[in-house]
Amino acid sequence: LAVATHNEIVNYVLNTANYDRAVMNPGGPYYEAIMSPYYGNQKVITVLFENEGAKYMPQDNDCLAYPEYLWDETKGSFPPGPWCPYVPTSDGIEAIKNVIGGSILPGQSAVMLYSSENSVVKTNSIITSGLRQGVSWFYVTDSSTPWSETPSQAILDAQKDALACLDSTCDAACEINGGTCKAGYCDCSQTNNSGSSNCSTPRASWMSGYHGIGYRIPGGTSWASTQFHASALANQIQGSSVKWVIFGLSSGAFGDRYVAPHPKLAEIGMRATTPKSGIDFNTYSQGNPASKTFDLPSYPDMDMFDDMLTQMEAIGVKVIAYFAAQGPAMLKAGEGSSFDNPIYAAGQNTGGYFVDSATQCPNLGAPDGQCSPSLRKWVNWVASTYSVTGHTFDSNASTGVWSASGTAPIQVALKDAYADHIFGHYVKKYGDRIAGFWFDQGGDANRDKIFSLIREYNPDAVVAWNEGSKIPLRNNNPNQEDYTYGHMLPHKSNANPPDGCYNYGMVLSAEASDSGFVYSGVTPSVDYGVTTTATSNPYSDPSFQITYDTSSSNPSLAHVYLPFQEMWNSGEMIWDPRQAKEWMKRVTDAGGAFTWAVRRTGCGGCSSGSLEQAKINDEDWAALQVVFGLDVSDGYQFDSTNCECLSTFGTNPSTLSWGCDYIPPPEECTNDGAWRFEYTTESFKGCNFVCKGAHQRCCASYVGTDLVNAINACPYCCKSNCDGWPGYINSC
């Protein structure tokens, strides 16, 4: 009846009364059959959305963050725009949504918003979001009495300016370059290129020829977060040649904590997983039992990531968000590495002590009190929300969270939930303030879903995944990658120092690239970033050559990401300044990009006395500035015949790869290469593990199978007279 009635009225308006246009106002989603007789007829328009501006474009751009708008939160949400207040699947709007902007042309759909925020930026976002979802008629007013008065002049002008582009047709170059011409813009979401130039410019072009830095800080509630002020980093690097900062939104490679608030983690009761301000860390210390039970959730939230974005925006430096895609379930590392598991000392030291694991774990299936309450609460919530039954926390079980299959129902649900609720929240909140993303553990994520969210909420952001072959550099993820993750040969607990000759292949990759861009098709196709691929230096062969098949995939910018010190975030600075400058310059001169992972103030072994956690360690920044300013125009010295690092890690020389020469330490400082202690019920660790975090792992309580403790078995880093001594040891 509704369809017939609407059709009769429209036909009367157009054909009998001879008006030029008929506008129907259902005010929300409607039966698509109402418009099916008028597909393509722009004389017939329907109002798809008439409501408050906040229900179309909520604060933080997250429709799921406002439960008063959605009657069911378990199904996820649509992006901001006309579908925001509706529940996917359950509200049945998919039929009409799928034809808006298609069979129903953009010129046939309208939205009407009242009580909208008095903001030109917000108005532009409202219209841009609508254009991308197939709407091209808009009326936005900041008035709360919707249609009795006109919008303020600023809002009216903003609408006019935002819609001016509709008067011109999309440049034909858009579709020639693989994009799709849509009302008012060129959609490049299915290409690796930016829409700002009709899909002709690769998204990562802004990185080409430049370099940046990267570091991490513990997420969650920790002392370090209270001493973090991004203005200190801005003051330090302002005016330098640094173009971007890769900054961990997650707690480094650990997906169990974050540096910004997250409503879902708080709702589930995952204590200490995001930063809080105002805590007296002298009172609520690791030794105080009250630290586990005081009212932590009542303390104000801190948003360290927003602080970083704000301060870098002020000095013209872009921010690339680092994410640990294994998420709160720790799909790669396992429960033994979760911050609130009592067996993980580093996590306990940096905030895990705020969680009463001994009391909570028996109620979460761990009678011995040794579990991660936050991890198990997250997994159980996901299982309930995504209707998964029979999941276990036994890593050997086929139904387990860490099943070797990677496809157990609970694992699939956890990957979906990470994309929908963890990453989804942050990508919606920060939008295009984030210049790019660098995903660790790319194999433990639903990459399709994550990538779709990026293109929806931040279409021009650059994306890299730590997944696939390392050397030669290549596009491991065609259509989902804008720049290479640039990861070096794995450290293997100091066996492969970053300045080793094996990583020289990344320099050669950039020089073999197409003006800085590489492709999936590469010769040689083997991965020299795997320790077993080569047992001697392949680059010293005069006939060695890297070539790319430019027709094999979309381009990916050749990006190299190396630590400036022994490990990613700790250890001594080891680079010869000239070698560092030569490798960086050769990559950037070829059109590629280079990022140095640096140590922050207060890191293990750092000498700076400042408490400010946002700064690069002073001596490291001074050394980097020397590298940046070094003149190497007299020719390159560190080539394939002279690129071996010199290692004095106290390890057995047989554990080092071919990329390094070995200088043995004195006998009294040589580690016992055979020593092992039981770290968890499932793993044993040796001196390489201890020395990787010596300042908190040189523990007398780490007793090996031979009854020798870590201090005596690992003198290279645990004895103050040896070179690997970090300068201090925390209590264990």
Side-chain angles (χ1 to χ4, degrees):
L1 179 62
V3 172
T5 301
H6 278 86
N7 290 166
E8 183 178 354
I9 294 172
V10 168
N11 290 337
Y12 174 83
V13 169
L14 295 179
N15 301 324
T16 303
N18 293 318
Y19 283 95
D20 190 53
R21 184 162 292 145
V23 180
M24 296 181 282
N25 185 10
Y30 54 86
Y31 291 113
E32 68 276 13
I34 289 175
M35 280 292 282
S36 60
Y38 312 109
Y39 284 167
N41 183 354
Q42 297 192 67
K43 290 184 176 182
V44 182
I45 301 168
T46 53
V47 177
L48 193 58
F49 185 98
E50 180 184 1
N51 214 314
E52 298 174 29
K55 292 185 178 181
Y56 179 101
M57 181 72 65
Q59 187 177 3
D60 296 336
N61 296 333
D62 188 355
C63 300
L64 192 62
Y66 294 85
E68 64 270 26
Y69 298 164
L70 298 177
W71 59 270
D72 182 354
E73 297 177 75
T74 65
K75 304 293 179 60
S77 68
F78 291 110
W83 319 110
C84 183
Y86 301 99
V87 177
T89 307
S90 298
D91 279 335
I93 69 167
E94 282 73 14
I96 184 64
K97 180 177 182 292
N98 291 337
V99 294
I100 296 294
S103 299
I104 299 176
L105 298 178
Q108 294 184 270
S109 294
V111 297
M112 302 171 67
L113 280 66
Y114 57 88
S115 298
S116 186
E117 181 180 335
N118 188 354
S119 163
V120 171
V121 172
K122 178 68 78 171
T123 303
N124 285 333
S125 296
I126 286 170
I127 291 175
T128 299
S129 174
L131 290 172
R132 292 186 181 278
Q133 296 179 70
V135 178
S136 66
W137 287 95
F138 299 86
Y139 187 81
V140 182
T141 180
D142 46 340
S143 171
S144 59
T145 53
W147 319 126
S148 61
E149 57 185 10
T150 58
S152 63
Q153 191 62 45
I155 300 304
L156 202 58
D157 289 344
Q159 294 178 71
K160 179 188 68 175
D161 293 342
L163 292 169
C165 60
L166 292 179
D167 293 334
S168 60
T169 58
C170 187
D171 193 322
C174 171
E175 299 195 357
I176 292 174
N177 293 322
T180 303
C181 241
K182 294 189 175 179
Y185 73 102
C186 177
D187 181 2
C188 303
S189 60
Q190 300 305 308
T191 76
N192 278 42
N193 297 339
S194 168
S196 61
S197 55
N198 286 314
C199 304
S200 63
T201 303
R203 283 185 179 83
S205 292
W206 62 267
M207 300 174 69
S208 176
Y210 295 105
H211 60 264
I213 60 166
Y215 67 41
R216 70 178 187 184
I217 187 169
T221 306
S222 71
W223 172 86
S225 63
T226 66
Q227 303 297 319
F228 183 93
H229 306 92
S231 58
L233 177 65
N235 292 336
Q236 192 176 37
I237 67 173
Q238 185 174 14
S240 73
S241 53
V242 171
K243 297 297 183 184
W244 62 83
V245 176
I246 298 180
F247 181 54
L249 217 165
S250 61
S251 186
F254 298 83
D256 53 353
R257 290 183 290 179
Y258 297 86
V259 302
H262 195 294
K264 185 59 66 179
L265 302 185
E267 176 190 321
I268 296 171
M270 295 166 64
R271 184 177 171 95
T273 53
T274 59
K276 295 286 186 176
S277 66
I279 297 170
D280 181 354
F281 282 88
N282 291 319
T283 298
Y284 296 114
S285 63
Q286 191 166 2
N288 181 2
S291 299
K292 300 181 183 299
T293 56
F294 78 102
D295 190 11
L296 178 60
S298 68
Y299 281 74
D301 288 322
M302 291 176 59
D303 193 332
M304 299 160 65
F305 195 79
D306 180 83
D307 183 26
M308 178 66 79
L309 289 172
T310 300
Q311 295 298 326
M312 293 303 107
E313 287 165 356
I315 64 170
V317 172
K318 295 181 182 292
V319 176
I320 295 174
Y322 172 108
F323 275 93
Q326 63 176 327
M330 300 290 279
L331 288 176
K332 180 178 180 180
E335 189 173 20
S337 296
S338 193
F339 84 102
D340 55 347
N341 192 324
I343 68 172
Y344 185 48
Q348 290 295 303
N349 293 341
T350 58
Y353 69 86
F354 285 120
V355 182
D356 191 358
S357 302
T359 300
Q360 295 184 40
C361 286
N363 298 322
L364 294 167
D368 61 359
Q370 293 193 353
C371 81
S372 165
S374 64
L375 182 152
R376 295 197 175 205
K377 288 177 181 180
W378 168 253
V379 171
N380 290 340
W381 178 84
V382 170
S384 173
T385 303
Y386 288 76
S387 303
V388 177
T389 58
H391 72 280
T392 72
F393 294 98
D394 179 354
S395 60
N396 297 316
S398 60
T399 55
V401 174
W402 304 282
S403 166
S405 72
T407 57
I410 186 61
Q411 292 174 314
V412 173
L414 286 166
K415 294 173 184 178
D416 285 345
Y418 174 80
D420 293 338
H421 295 279
I422 302 297
F423 179 74
H425 168 74
Y426 290 126
V427 74
K428 295 170 186 176
K429 178 177 181 178
Y430 298 115
D432 61 8
R433 296 179 69 195
I434 297 176
F437 299 91
W438 197 99
F439 291 99
D440 210 346
Q441 304 115 20
D444 295 297
N446 184 331
R447 294 202 297 271
D448 289 343
K449 183 169 281 192
I450 288 173
F451 190 77
S452 178
L453 283 164
I454 293 170
R455 290 295 176 254
E456 181 69 43
Y457 290 94
N458 192 355
D460 284 335
V462 296
V463 180
W465 303 91
N466 184 354
E467 174 69 10
S469 299
K470 295 178 171 66
I471 306 170
L473 299 173
R474 67 197 76 184
N475 188 341
N476 287 295
N477 304 279
N479 299 322
Q480 292 188 344
E481 173 180 307
D482 300 296
Y483 68 112
T484 65
Y485 66 105
H487 212 296
M488 59 171 284
L489 188 85
H491 278 105
K492 299 295 183 184
S493 297
N494 294 344
N496 305 312
D499 57 339
C501 194
Y502 20 70
N503 293 320
Y504 181 66
M506 291 194 283
V507 177
L508 297 178
S509 298
E511 293 184 326
S513 70
D514 179 16
S515 299
F517 289 88
V518 297
Y519 299 81
S520 61
V522 60
T523 303
S525 59
V526 298
D527 185 4
Y528 290 107
V530 178
T531 54
T532 55
T533 300
T535 56
S536 60
N537 187 351
Y539 312 127
S540 60
D541 183 345
S543 64
F544 184 86
Q545 184 179 15
I546 296 174
T547 58
Y548 290 97
D549 177 1
T550 59
S551 67
S552 60
S553 71
N554 286 341
S556 179
L557 186 71
H559 168 251
V560 177
Y561 193 7
L562 292 176
F564 196 59
Q565 56 281 328
E566 292 170 332
M567 307 302 294
W568 281 106
N569 309 284
S570 62
E572 297 297 320
M573 290 186 291
I574 56 174
W575 283 83
D576 177 280
R578 183 169 186 112
Q579 182 188 359
K581 179 56 179 278
E582 285 187 11
W583 282 22
M584 182 180 77
K585 187 175 189 300
R586 291 174 67 175
V587 170
T588 56
D589 280 358
F594 204 106
T595 302
W596 290 108
V598 298
R599 301 184 300 181
R600 289 182 299 102
T601 296
C603 61
C606 292
S607 61
S608 177
S610 172
L611 296 179
E612 176 52 64
Q613 297 295 292
K615 288 181 64 179
I616 302 169
N617 189 47
D618 287 339
E619 63 175 332
D620 298 48
W621 178 237
L624 271 173
Q625 289 179 294
V626 169
V627 170
F628 295 163
L630 200 62
D631 182 4
V632 294
S633 60
D634 57 341
Y636 296 133
Q637 298 176 14
F638 288 86
D639 55 18
S640 58
T641 61
N642 178 28
C643 59
E644 291 87 357
C645 64
L646 298 177
S647 175
T648 56
F649 287 111
T651 60
N652 185 304
S654 64
T655 65
L656 285 169
S657 295
W658 51 264
C660 275
D661 289 340
Y662 178 69
I663 301 176
E667 184 176 352
E668 65 270 18
C669 293
T670 300
N671 292 339
D672 181 351
W675 179 81
R676 296 288 184 275
F677 78 99
E678 186 176 5
Y679 180 59
T680 70
T681 56
E682 300 172 0
S683 68
F684 286 79
K685 302 290 188 180
C687 284
N688 286 339
F689 171 81
V690 171
C691 289
K692 185 177 179 180
H695 62 288
Q696 58 192 14
R697 293 177 181 167
C698 286
C699 301
S701 58
Y702 287 169
V703 178
T705 54
D706 56 1
L707 303 183
V708 176
N709 66 34
I711 297 173
N712 293 321
C714 314
Y716 177 74
C717 58
C718 294
K719 297 292 180 71
S720 60
N721 62 316
C722 297
D723 289 343
W725 168 253
Y728 68 96
I729 299 292
N730 289 331
S731 58
C732 296

